[in-house]
Amino acid sequence: IIHPREIFSIALNEAAAGIIIAHNHPSGDPQPSEDDIKITKELMLAGKILGIDLLDHIIIGGRRYISLKERGYLN
């Protein structure tokens, strides 16, 4: 579990205009969980307030990945 302030503190220190986050699913299945979708939405809202775009959230599992942007979760 990660909090948006932990993610954006790094972005703010680097004066980033946008971020891409990624994490792995040790199970090997990259399908996003409800928590993955929830944190993505929270990060999008936090980013809008801070003026830092969430460009993508990538989940890696085994030899596959899923882009939540490609899946339409970052619209």
Side-chain angles (χ1 to χ4, degrees):
I1 298 175
I2 188 115
H3 194 279
R5 75 174 161 259
E6 296 165 343
I7 301 273
F8 285 103
S9 69
I10 297 167
L12 287 167
N13 286 337
E14 298 295 327
I19 62 170
I20 297 171
I21 61 169
H23 76 278
N24 72 315
H25 281 182
S27 67
D29 181 3
Q31 290 298 320
S33 68
E34 288 182 27
D35 286 338
D36 292 331
I37 295 166
K38 180 182 173 196
I39 192 65
T40 299
K41 290 178 181 180
E42 289 176 4
L43 291 171
M44 280 180 38
L45 289 174
K48 285 183 183 187
I49 291 168
L50 296 170
I52 301 172
D53 293 330
L54 176 61
L55 302 173
D56 206 345
H57 180 173
I58 298 170
I59 303 171
I60 301 164
R63 295 179 179 239
R64 300 177 298 149
Y65 75 92
I66 288 179
S67 161
L68 293 184
K69 180 177 182 173
E70 288 177 0
R71 295 280 175 108
Y73 289 106
L74 275 75
N75 296 334

